[in-house]
Short mmCIF file of all heavy atoms in Angstrom, two decimals:
data_model
loop_
_atom_site.label_atom_id
_atom_site.label_comp_id
_atom_site.label_asym_id
_atom_site.label_seq_id
_atom_site.Cartn_x
_atom_site.Cartn_y
_atom_site.Cartn_z
N CYS A 513 4.72 -47.63 -1.69
CA CYS A 513 5.08 -47.79 -3.05
C CYS A 513 6.63 -48.05 -3.05
O CYS A 513 7.35 -47.79 -2.09
CB CYS A 513 4.78 -46.54 -3.95
SG CYS A 513 5.70 -45.04 -3.49
N ILE A 514 7.05 -48.47 -4.22
CA ILE A 514 8.46 -48.80 -4.60
C ILE A 514 8.73 -48.07 -5.85
O ILE A 514 7.90 -48.27 -6.81
CB ILE A 514 8.80 -50.31 -4.62
CG1 ILE A 514 8.38 -51.06 -3.37
CG2 ILE A 514 10.28 -50.51 -4.96
CD1 ILE A 514 8.19 -52.52 -3.50
N LEU A 515 9.81 -47.32 -5.98
CA LEU A 515 10.07 -46.52 -7.17
C LEU A 515 11.54 -46.67 -7.72
O LEU A 515 12.37 -47.17 -6.89
CB LEU A 515 9.80 -45.02 -6.92
CG LEU A 515 10.69 -44.13 -6.08
CD1 LEU A 515 12.08 -43.65 -6.85
CD2 LEU A 515 10.05 -42.96 -5.41
N THR A 516 11.62 -46.27 -8.99
CA THR A 516 12.92 -46.09 -9.61
C THR A 516 12.98 -44.94 -10.47
O THR A 516 11.98 -44.73 -11.19
CB THR A 516 13.37 -47.35 -10.43
OG1 THR A 516 14.67 -47.24 -10.92
CG2 THR A 516 12.41 -47.62 -11.54
N PRO A 517 13.97 -43.97 -10.32
CA PRO A 517 14.01 -42.83 -11.28
C PRO A 517 14.18 -43.33 -12.64
O PRO A 517 14.85 -44.22 -13.01
CB PRO A 517 15.21 -42.07 -10.71
CG PRO A 517 15.61 -42.75 -9.47
CD PRO A 517 15.10 -44.16 -9.52
N GLN A 518 13.46 -42.53 -13.63
CA GLN A 518 13.62 -42.86 -15.05
C GLN A 518 14.53 -41.90 -15.73
O GLN A 518 15.44 -42.26 -16.50
CB GLN A 518 12.21 -42.83 -15.69
CG GLN A 518 11.47 -44.04 -15.69
CD GLN A 518 10.22 -43.95 -16.61
OE1 GLN A 518 9.60 -42.88 -16.73
NE2 GLN A 518 9.83 -45.08 -17.23
N GLU A 519 14.29 -40.61 -15.44
CA GLU A 519 15.12 -39.53 -16.02
C GLU A 519 15.13 -38.23 -15.23
O GLU A 519 14.12 -37.84 -14.71
CB GLU A 519 14.35 -39.26 -17.41
CG GLU A 519 15.09 -38.21 -18.25
CD GLU A 519 14.42 -37.86 -19.55
OE1 GLU A 519 13.45 -38.53 -19.82
OE2 GLU A 519 14.86 -36.92 -20.20
N LEU A 520 16.29 -37.68 -15.20
CA LEU A 520 16.55 -36.43 -14.49
C LEU A 520 16.55 -35.30 -15.57
O LEU A 520 17.49 -35.45 -16.49
CB LEU A 520 17.72 -36.40 -13.62
CG LEU A 520 18.05 -35.11 -12.94
CD1 LEU A 520 16.99 -34.77 -11.79
CD2 LEU A 520 19.43 -35.13 -12.26
N LYS A 521 15.77 -34.17 -15.40
CA LYS A 521 15.89 -33.15 -16.39
C LYS A 521 16.64 -32.02 -15.64
O LYS A 521 16.16 -31.39 -14.76
CB LYS A 521 14.53 -32.64 -16.72
CG LYS A 521 14.46 -31.44 -17.87
CD LYS A 521 13.10 -30.97 -18.05
CE LYS A 521 12.30 -32.05 -18.82
NZ LYS A 521 10.92 -31.50 -19.21
N PRO A 522 17.86 -31.77 -16.11
CA PRO A 522 18.77 -30.73 -15.40
C PRO A 522 18.31 -29.23 -15.66
O PRO A 522 17.41 -29.02 -16.47
CB PRO A 522 20.17 -30.99 -16.03
CG PRO A 522 19.90 -31.57 -17.42
CD PRO A 522 18.52 -32.40 -17.15
N ILE A 523 18.85 -28.40 -14.97
CA ILE A 523 18.49 -27.02 -15.15
C ILE A 523 19.07 -26.48 -16.54
O ILE A 523 19.96 -27.07 -17.13
CB ILE A 523 19.10 -26.07 -14.08
CG1 ILE A 523 20.64 -26.17 -14.13
CG2 ILE A 523 18.53 -26.43 -12.70
CD1 ILE A 523 21.31 -25.02 -13.22
N ASP A 524 18.44 -25.46 -17.06
CA ASP A 524 18.89 -24.73 -18.18
C ASP A 524 19.91 -23.83 -17.87
O ASP A 524 19.73 -22.74 -17.19
CB ASP A 524 17.69 -24.07 -18.90
CG ASP A 524 17.99 -23.45 -20.24
OD1 ASP A 524 19.16 -22.99 -20.42
OD2 ASP A 524 17.17 -23.36 -21.01
N GLU A 525 21.15 -24.12 -18.26
CA GLU A 525 22.29 -23.32 -17.74
C GLU A 525 22.13 -21.87 -18.29
O GLU A 525 22.63 -20.89 -17.65
CB GLU A 525 23.61 -23.92 -18.28
CG GLU A 525 24.04 -25.17 -17.56
CD GLU A 525 24.44 -24.97 -16.16
OE1 GLU A 525 24.65 -23.78 -15.76
OE2 GLU A 525 24.56 -26.02 -15.45
N GLU A 526 21.78 -21.70 -19.52
CA GLU A 526 21.61 -20.28 -20.08
C GLU A 526 20.53 -19.50 -19.29
O GLU A 526 20.69 -18.41 -19.00
CB GLU A 526 21.21 -20.48 -21.57
CG GLU A 526 21.10 -19.10 -22.22
CD GLU A 526 20.86 -19.28 -23.67
OE1 GLU A 526 21.06 -20.40 -24.36
OE2 GLU A 526 20.34 -18.25 -24.38
N GLN A 527 19.36 -20.25 -18.92
CA GLN A 527 18.34 -19.58 -18.21
C GLN A 527 18.90 -19.20 -16.81
O GLN A 527 18.48 -18.14 -16.20
CB GLN A 527 17.20 -20.49 -18.10
CG GLN A 527 15.89 -19.85 -17.52
CD GLN A 527 15.39 -18.59 -18.32
OE1 GLN A 527 15.39 -18.63 -19.59
NE2 GLN A 527 15.15 -17.52 -17.56
N TYR A 528 19.68 -20.11 -16.27
CA TYR A 528 20.29 -19.80 -14.87
C TYR A 528 21.04 -18.55 -14.84
O TYR A 528 20.97 -17.66 -13.95
CB TYR A 528 21.13 -21.01 -14.42
CG TYR A 528 21.90 -20.69 -13.23
CD1 TYR A 528 21.29 -20.45 -11.97
CD2 TYR A 528 23.38 -20.79 -13.17
CE1 TYR A 528 21.92 -20.12 -10.78
CE2 TYR A 528 23.97 -20.54 -12.02
CZ TYR A 528 23.28 -20.32 -10.91
OH TYR A 528 24.05 -20.07 -9.72
N GLN A 529 21.82 -18.33 -15.92
CA GLN A 529 22.62 -17.11 -15.99
C GLN A 529 21.76 -15.87 -16.08
O GLN A 529 22.02 -14.79 -15.47
CB GLN A 529 23.59 -17.17 -17.20
CG GLN A 529 24.72 -18.24 -17.01
CD GLN A 529 25.51 -18.02 -15.81
OE1 GLN A 529 25.93 -16.98 -15.34
NE2 GLN A 529 25.89 -19.22 -15.12
N LYS A 530 20.63 -16.01 -16.82
CA LYS A 530 19.60 -14.90 -16.90
C LYS A 530 18.93 -14.63 -15.59
O LYS A 530 18.71 -13.45 -15.15
CB LYS A 530 18.62 -15.23 -17.98
CG LYS A 530 19.11 -15.10 -19.36
CD LYS A 530 17.97 -15.50 -20.25
CE LYS A 530 18.46 -15.63 -21.75
NZ LYS A 530 17.40 -16.03 -22.78
N ASP A 531 18.66 -15.68 -14.88
CA ASP A 531 17.86 -15.56 -13.62
C ASP A 531 18.83 -15.21 -12.35
O ASP A 531 18.37 -14.87 -11.31
CB ASP A 531 17.18 -16.90 -13.21
CG ASP A 531 16.06 -17.20 -14.31
OD1 ASP A 531 15.68 -16.20 -15.07
OD2 ASP A 531 15.66 -18.31 -14.42
N LYS A 532 20.09 -15.44 -12.49
CA LYS A 532 21.05 -15.48 -11.44
C LYS A 532 20.97 -14.27 -10.49
O LYS A 532 20.90 -14.44 -9.34
CB LYS A 532 22.53 -15.68 -11.94
CG LYS A 532 23.52 -16.05 -10.89
CD LYS A 532 24.90 -16.32 -11.48
CE LYS A 532 25.86 -16.66 -10.49
NZ LYS A 532 27.20 -16.99 -11.03
N GLU A 533 21.05 -13.10 -11.03
CA GLU A 533 21.11 -11.86 -10.12
C GLU A 533 19.77 -11.84 -9.28
O GLU A 533 19.89 -11.64 -8.09
CB GLU A 533 21.32 -10.60 -10.99
CG GLU A 533 21.50 -9.43 -10.21
CD GLU A 533 21.75 -8.14 -11.14
OE1 GLU A 533 21.95 -8.30 -12.29
OE2 GLU A 533 21.55 -7.05 -10.56
N GLU A 534 18.63 -11.88 -9.94
CA GLU A 534 17.48 -11.79 -9.27
C GLU A 534 17.26 -12.95 -8.18
O GLU A 534 16.86 -12.89 -7.01
CB GLU A 534 16.26 -11.75 -10.22
CG GLU A 534 14.95 -11.66 -9.44
CD GLU A 534 13.73 -11.49 -10.47
OE1 GLU A 534 14.01 -11.30 -11.66
OE2 GLU A 534 12.61 -11.73 -10.04
N PHE A 535 17.74 -14.21 -8.56
CA PHE A 535 17.54 -15.32 -7.76
C PHE A 535 18.32 -15.20 -6.47
O PHE A 535 18.10 -15.66 -5.49
CB PHE A 535 17.84 -16.63 -8.62
CG PHE A 535 17.63 -17.92 -7.84
CD1 PHE A 535 16.28 -18.40 -7.56
CD2 PHE A 535 18.68 -18.57 -7.29
CE1 PHE A 535 16.15 -19.57 -6.90
CE2 PHE A 535 18.51 -19.69 -6.56
CZ PHE A 535 17.32 -20.23 -6.32
N GLN A 536 19.62 -14.69 -6.78
CA GLN A 536 20.61 -14.55 -5.78
C GLN A 536 20.12 -13.57 -4.67
O GLN A 536 20.19 -13.89 -3.52
CB GLN A 536 21.88 -13.96 -6.23
CG GLN A 536 22.94 -13.90 -5.14
CD GLN A 536 24.31 -13.59 -5.77
OE1 GLN A 536 24.46 -13.14 -6.93
NE2 GLN A 536 25.42 -13.75 -4.93
N GLU A 537 19.47 -12.53 -5.10
CA GLU A 537 18.91 -11.58 -4.14
C GLU A 537 17.79 -12.20 -3.33
O GLU A 537 17.72 -12.02 -2.08
CB GLU A 537 18.41 -10.33 -4.88
CG GLU A 537 17.77 -9.20 -3.95
CD GLU A 537 17.34 -8.11 -4.73
OE1 GLU A 537 17.62 -7.92 -5.99
OE2 GLU A 537 16.70 -7.16 -4.14
N LYS A 538 16.92 -12.81 -3.93
CA LYS A 538 15.78 -13.48 -3.35
C LYS A 538 16.24 -14.61 -2.36
O LYS A 538 15.81 -14.71 -1.20
CB LYS A 538 14.86 -14.18 -4.35
CG LYS A 538 13.57 -14.86 -3.83
CD LYS A 538 12.84 -15.71 -4.87
CE LYS A 538 13.58 -17.11 -5.05
NZ LYS A 538 12.71 -18.04 -5.91
N THR A 539 17.19 -15.44 -2.70
CA THR A 539 17.71 -16.53 -1.94
C THR A 539 18.50 -15.99 -0.67
O THR A 539 18.39 -16.48 0.35
CB THR A 539 18.75 -17.44 -2.79
OG1 THR A 539 17.90 -17.81 -3.94
CG2 THR A 539 18.99 -18.67 -1.93
N LEU A 540 19.33 -14.93 -1.00
CA LEU A 540 19.99 -14.37 0.22
C LEU A 540 19.04 -13.78 1.14
O LEU A 540 19.33 -13.97 2.41
CB LEU A 540 20.98 -13.30 -0.44
CG LEU A 540 21.86 -12.64 0.64
CD1 LEU A 540 22.74 -13.61 1.41
CD2 LEU A 540 22.70 -11.40 0.02
N GLN A 541 18.12 -13.16 0.78
CA GLN A 541 17.04 -12.56 1.75
C GLN A 541 16.34 -13.65 2.50
O GLN A 541 16.16 -13.52 3.67
CB GLN A 541 16.03 -11.74 0.98
CG GLN A 541 16.41 -10.34 0.39
CD GLN A 541 17.10 -9.52 1.52
OE1 GLN A 541 16.54 -9.38 2.63
NE2 GLN A 541 18.36 -8.91 1.31
#
Side-chain angles (χ1 to χ4, degrees):
C513 68
I514 304 162
L515 72 83
T516 184
Q518 273 191 325
E519 181 184 352
L520 178 69
K521 185 183 288 185
I523 63 169
D524 182 329
E525 291 289 347
E526 187 177 335
Q527 188 63 44
Y528 171 58
Q529 294 303 322
K530 290 179 181 177
D531 297 341
K532 190 173 182 180
E533 186 177 346
E534 184 179 342
F535 184 76
Q536 182 172 14
E537 183 180 348
K538 181 189 81 170
T539 306
L540 181 58
Q541 287 304 315

